[in-house]
Amino acid sequence: MMDFGPFNVSMLDPDLLASLTRGMAAVNLELRLAAESAYPPVTEVSRYLIDAGGKRFRPALTLLTAHYGDASAPGVAATATACELTHLATLHHDDVMDESSLRRGVPSTNARFGNLVAVLSGDYLFSKASQIMAGQGPEAVMIQASTFERLVTGQIRESTGPAPGEDPLEHYLSVVSHKTASLIATSARFGALMAGAPAGVVERVTEFGEYVGTAFQLADDILDIAGDSRVSGKRPGTDLREGVATLPTLYVRAAPAPGDKRLIELLDSDLTDDTLHTEALGLLRRHPALAQAQQECTAYAERARDLLKPLPPGPVTDALDTLCDLAVHRVS
């Protein structure tokens, strides 16, 4: 069965599932065609992560929100493809910056082909996404350009850290909004927009994507600490080991209790040391900051759910509603 990312396939309406399956097959074909080049080495590296699979969350969201209008409109599959190409391009760049060795269960592009090729292949995929958007008109190009701006801004802000006097928590949530939620919001927007849905619906699903995208990222932060590697397939505490600030660790730093002295010391130390990393992870798993982060994740999911209330009832809205549950249930 085709993968629709975090959507619970068993809970989807059969007719809706059939339509999404057809749409995703078209997107997968367009992804491979978009990565094709007259030069075989370019094709090979550009298709590398496409062929590795992935959740396809963003194009699935585009295909879903298109059912608020004409889901068969030609711009739907095209923009869904462009959103996934944009996401893939960011993965190429992220892996270089993070010096990652694995992605989607295979060696990362940078590990397989080298940093220079990985960066350039990410640029190539961005260019292919832009070509697709150019065929959808000036509004689509402007939306994609604005989203790209937010993605880059989020990455730069994450890299440079909070400005002097800036609240680290506010800085972090801003980074999540730009770096993660922006493209999810745009994916939801394109589906409804290209399908000719009413302007109010387009606005609502866009805002929904922003909130639910944030909720999923916060859930990832929590799972990085509390998750079971046998379920997630990821090594717990990866962000912790790399010194990446996430919501639970920021809560610890924002209001440290007297008993947090050792945990703060560990967070300030080199956690590539396995012994120190294990100790820090254990302390964080027992810390109230983890429950506080779960509450914040739930709050974002509920804000997303509230935006669905005025939308037409039916299988599409029900499917979006389950996304809110899934974000929270991943960490509860």
Side-chain angles (χ1 to χ4, degrees), residues 261-282:
K261 181 179 178 181
R262 176 56 180 165
L263 178 54
I264 297 293
E265 288 176 353
L266 288 167
L267 293 177
D268 289 337
S269 68
D270 180 6
L271 292 180
T272 59
D273 179 286
D274 287 342
T275 301
L276 297 179
H277 179 267
T278 299
E279 184 183 357
L281 192 60

Side-chain angles (χ1 to χ4, degrees), residues 107-182:
S108 59
T109 308
N110 52 302
R112 172 71 173 79
F113 300 98
N115 284 344
L116 177 60
V117 172
V119 170
L120 292 174
S121 62
D123 294 344
Y124 180 78
L125 293 176
F126 274 129
S127 74
K128 301 302 284 189
S130 297
Q131 287 177 31
I132 291 172
M133 288 302 185
Q136 307 307 313
E139 183 179 10
V141 171
M142 180 58 71
I143 292 170
Q144 196 235 6
S146 297
T147 304
F148 191 21
E149 177 188 8
R150 291 188 66 193
L151 289 169
V152 173
T153 299
Q155 185 61 67
I156 292 173
R157 295 203 72 206
E158 182 180 64
S159 300
T160 57
E166 183 180 9
D167 182 350
L169 279 168
E170 290 183 6
H171 170 268
Y172 171 75
L173 290 172
S174 174
V175 168
V176 170
S177 174
H178 284 298
K179 188 180 171 184
T180 301
S182 64

Side-chain angles (χ1 to χ4, degrees), residues 6-8 11-12 305 317-327:
F7 290 100
N8 190 333
M11 297 178 65
L12 291 175
R305 194 193 309 277
T317 303
D318 290 344
L320 293 176
D321 188 79
T322 63
L323 273 181
C324 304
D325 291 327
L326 289 168

Side-chain angles (χ1 to χ4, degrees), residues 42-306:
V42 176
T43 302
E44 179 188 6
V45 69
S46 298
R47 283 182 174 172
Y48 183 66
L49 285 185
I50 293 173
D51 292 341
K55 296 178 181 178
R56 304 284 195 262
F57 176 25
R58 290 151 191 83
L61 189 55
T62 302
L63 296 171
L64 181 61
T65 59
H67 284 79
Y68 285 119
D70 178 9
S72 64
V76 173
T79 53
T81 301
C83 286
E84 183 66 4
L85 286 171
T86 300
H87 174 58
L88 288 165
T90 66
L91 298 186
H92 283 247
H93 290 173
D94 284 350
D95 286 344
V96 171
M97 288 182 286
D98 298 339
E99 300 181 349
S100 301
S101 59
L102 286 174
R103 170 70 68 178
R104 296 179 172 178
V106 299
S108 59
T109 308
N110 52 302
R112 172 71 173 79
F113 300 98
N115 284 344
L116 177 60
V117 172
V119 170
L120 292 174
S121 62
D123 294 344
Y124 180 78
L125 293 176
F126 274 129
S127 74
K128 301 302 284 189
S130 297
Q131 287 177 31
I132 291 172
M133 288 302 185
Q136 307 307 313
E139 183 179 10
V141 171
M142 180 58 71
I143 292 170
Q144 196 235 6
S146 297
T147 304
F148 191 21
E149 177 188 8
R150 291 188 66 193
L151 289 169
V152 173
T153 299
Q155 185 61 67
I156 292 173
R157 295 203 72 206
E158 182 180 64
S159 300
T160 57
E166 183 180 9
D167 182 350
L169 279 168
E170 290 183 6
H171 170 268
Y172 171 75
L173 290 172
S174 174
V175 168
V176 170
S177 174
H178 284 298
K179 188 180 171 184
T180 301
S182 64
L183 185 56
I184 294 174
T186 293
S187 300
R189 180 179 184 179
F190 272 132
L193 180 66
M194 293 297 154
V201 171
V202 175
E203 182 179 343
R204 280 195 170 270
V205 298
T206 302
E207 196 171 355
F208 169 87
E210 185 83 28
Y211 281 120
V212 83
T214 300
F216 269 91
Q217 182 58 56
L218 299 187
D220 279 349
D221 284 359
I222 296 162
L223 289 170
D224 185 66
I225 294 169
D228 185 336
S229 61
R230 291 169 297 180
V231 176
S232 67
K234 297 179 180 180
R235 187 179 184 184
T238 299
D239 289 335
L240 189 64
R241 185 180 297 274
E242 295 175 355
V244 177
T246 60
L247 194 61
T249 59
L250 286 168
Y251 277 143
V252 171
R253 292 184 182 278
D260 291 340
K261 181 179 178 181
R262 176 56 180 165
L263 178 54
I264 297 293
E265 288 176 353
L266 288 167
L267 293 177
D268 289 337
S269 68
D270 180 6
L271 292 180
T272 59
D273 179 286
D274 287 342
T275 301
L276 297 179
H277 179 267
T278 299
E279 184 183 357
L281 192 60
L283 289 173
L284 273 171
R285 284 176 168 173
R286 297 188 296 271
H287 199 281
L290 200 60
Q292 190 177 0
Q294 289 173 336
Q295 292 172 357
E296 186 72 358
C297 175
T298 301
Y300 273 94
E302 289 306 313
R303 289 176 203 167
R305 194 193 309 277
D306 286 344

